[in-house]
Each structure stands twice: as C-alpha cells, then as structure tokens.
Amino acid sequence: MKKLIFACAALLLLLNACKRDEYYRDGGLANPNFNGNMLQYLQAKKVPFDTIAQIVKLAGMESTFSNEDFTFFAPDDEVIKKTIGTIRTDGLNNFLFYAGKDTVKTLDQISPLIWRRYLQRYMFKGVNRLKDYQQIDFDVKSVYPGGLYYSFGGNISNIGVTYATANNIKYIGYRQLNLTYIPDPSKPNDNWYINKVASSDIKPTNGVVHTLAYNDTRGGAYFGFNESDFFSDVYFGGLASSNSSK
C-alpha cells in the first residue's frame, strides 16, 4: 500500500513539473494563438489597443502589421493618453501650450513620419518569444546582461528575461520579459528606460506580440519612452489641420 502511495505521489510531482515546464516554455498557460494578423489583433482588442491600432494607420504601416513577420512590444492606449495629456497635466499639450504653440486636438494632426519613427522603437526583426531571449539580472548585469537589439528605427534596446526568486532560491521562479530602451548608444549602461511585459508570446498569423505593462514612471508612461524626443519632434514639425475639422 505504501509503495502505491509513493508511486502516485511521484506521478503527481512529475505531472506538475511538466506543467510548470510547459508554462515557462510557452510564456503563459492561456492559448497564445490569434486567428488573424497583427493589425487585426490590435483592432480586436479595443481595450487596450484601439488607439495603437489607429496610430499604425496614421503611420502608414498597415501593410507591415498585416503581412510582415516581426516582434512587436505593444504599448497600450494609456501611454498615448499620458503622452498627449492636457494643458493642465504633464504631456505634449502642456509643453506646447506653455511654448506658445497650438495644442493637439486629434492624433492626425501629428505627422505620419513622427508616428512611424516612434512606433518603430517597439518593433524588432525576427519572431522572438520569451524563450528566445537571454537572462538579465538588473543587479548583476555583468553576469546576466540580457541582449542588445536594434529596433526597426535603428534605436538600441536591451531585451532580457528576469528569473524570480521562489522558496528563497534565486532564479527558479516565474520569468518576466523586459524591454529596456537605451537613449544613448555611446553609453549603453546608462539611463535605462525599463518596461516590463504584461503578457508575452501572443501569436497572430504574422509575427509575435508582447504587451507592455503600463507604468506611470520614467520610460513607461510616454510613447517612444523618452518624452523629450517626441515633444521636440512635434514642436519643430508643427501640427497639421485636423481631418475632423475639414
């Protein structure tokens, strides 16, 4: 009888271990497949990607998001809301108002080239899932450094996976994918804009999507990570007339 109990216990442990390994390999237990292309995925998930899907169109990148294979770290609509802001809150409109410029009323007033430039900071060549990235430990980057990647726009980011502590043992817990924007390539270890991924390995018919967790901190709250870059480009590029007013 004891042998039977031990055998059953061993089988349960083995099954649990297999499930845990499957979780780590797939980046999550939920079905990651979406029956449609990447743009259709963003359009279908109106919360939180309705505005991001609109920006894809404003940037003239519908074909890229519908047909090409690449890795997209998707910011959510709250990032755009925070970036544009109002004249009373931190954001582009506050910056423009106090600079004596017209403020943004609709997103189509901003140049398609600017939308494209900053959208491309979230786009990377290849179809890379969580399992394809190196480990990173932000406390000991010399040991676990993650990896450096060029975005579609030529900007450099570090992408890596942190391994959590479980039962007081380092690196055996859940895995967290991170996208870190590096503003100055000549100083690749300075002034990092760290963004955690909320949900990884979403697989439409083209490419793969990792959704970024919104955080109201430096680098996470603004489109393109570094708000001064975006604000300056809009300031010097000027605003077009809104299509809604035509």
Side-chain angles (χ1 to χ4, degrees):
M1 184 66 179
K2 288 183 178 180
K3 290 183 178 180
L4 179 60
I5 293 174
F6 284 132
C8 291
L11 179 60
L12 287 173
L13 288 173
L14 179 61
L15 290 173
N16 285 333
C18 290
K19 287 183 178 180
R20 182 178 61 188
D21 289 342
E22 180 183 5
Y23 176 87
Y24 287 143
R25 285 197 302 270
D26 294 342
L29 290 175
N31 180 8
N33 297 314
F34 177 78
N35 187 24
N37 61 47
M38 194 180 295
L39 179 56
Q40 289 171 333
Y41 170 77
L42 297 175
Q43 292 169 331
K45 304 296 181 180
K46 292 187 179 298
V47 178
F49 299 124
D50 184 57
T51 305
I52 299 301
Q54 182 183 351
I55 287 172
V56 170
K57 292 187 175 183
L58 290 173
M61 302 195 75
E62 299 102 314
S63 178
T64 301
F65 276 77
S66 298
N67 301 299
E68 294 187 19
D69 284 324
F70 64 96
T71 300
F72 182 47
F73 287 83
D76 65 22
D77 291 353
E78 286 298 315
V79 170
I80 306 302
K81 181 179 178 181
K82 174 74 174 180
T83 300
I84 302 301
T86 70
I87 62 172
R88 296 181 179 85
T89 62
D90 290 336
L92 176 62
N93 275 337
N94 177 275
F95 173 81
L96 293 173
F97 179 79
Y98 285 102
K101 298 286 188 177
D102 291 337
T103 57
V104 177
K105 296 178 177 61
T106 58
L107 298 180
D108 58 20
Q109 292 179 270
I110 296 174
S111 166
L113 294 178
I114 293 176
W115 284 127
R116 177 187 288 258
R117 180 179 302 136
Y118 289 91
L119 186 62
Q120 287 180 331
R121 290 188 177 185
Y122 300 89
M123 301 165 62
F124 297 84
K125 293 181 179 179
V127 179
N128 293 315
R129 296 173 172 82
L130 180 149
K131 66 180 178 61
D132 298 315
Y133 293 107
Q134 300 175 46
Q135 182 178 355
I136 186 168
D137 186 328
F138 291 105
D139 294 324
V140 283
K141 290 186 288 187
S142 60
V143 180
Y144 299 109
L148 297 179
Y149 295 82
Y150 282 96
S151 71
F152 270 35
N155 306 99
I156 296 178
S157 288
N158 182 294
I159 305 176
V161 181
T162 54
Y163 290 58
T165 297
N167 299 322
N168 295 319
I169 302 175
K170 293 190 70 172
Y171 307 139
I172 69 167
Y174 70 88
R175 300 177 187 180
Q176 172 79 61
L177 184 58
N178 303 270
L179 170 67
T180 302
Y181 177 71
I182 299 173
D184 187 350
S186 68
K187 300 176 181 178
N189 293 311
D190 295 345
N191 301 315
W192 282 21
Y193 291 76
I194 301 172
N195 295 264
K196 297 182 182 299
V197 167
S199 182
S200 64
D201 298 2
I202 300 161
K203 189 66 183 71
T205 53
N206 65 303
V208 65
V209 178
H210 307 296
T211 66
L212 293 175
Y214 177 78
N215 64 86
D216 196 12
T217 59
R218 179 178 182 271
Y222 294 98
F223 190 60
F225 310 112
N226 186 343
E227 69 272 22
S228 62
D229 289 349
F230 187 81
F231 292 1
S232 295
D233 276 355
V234 175
Y235 176 87
F236 289 110
L239 297 177
S241 298
S242 171
N243 286 335
S244 63
S245 65
K246 293 179 181 179

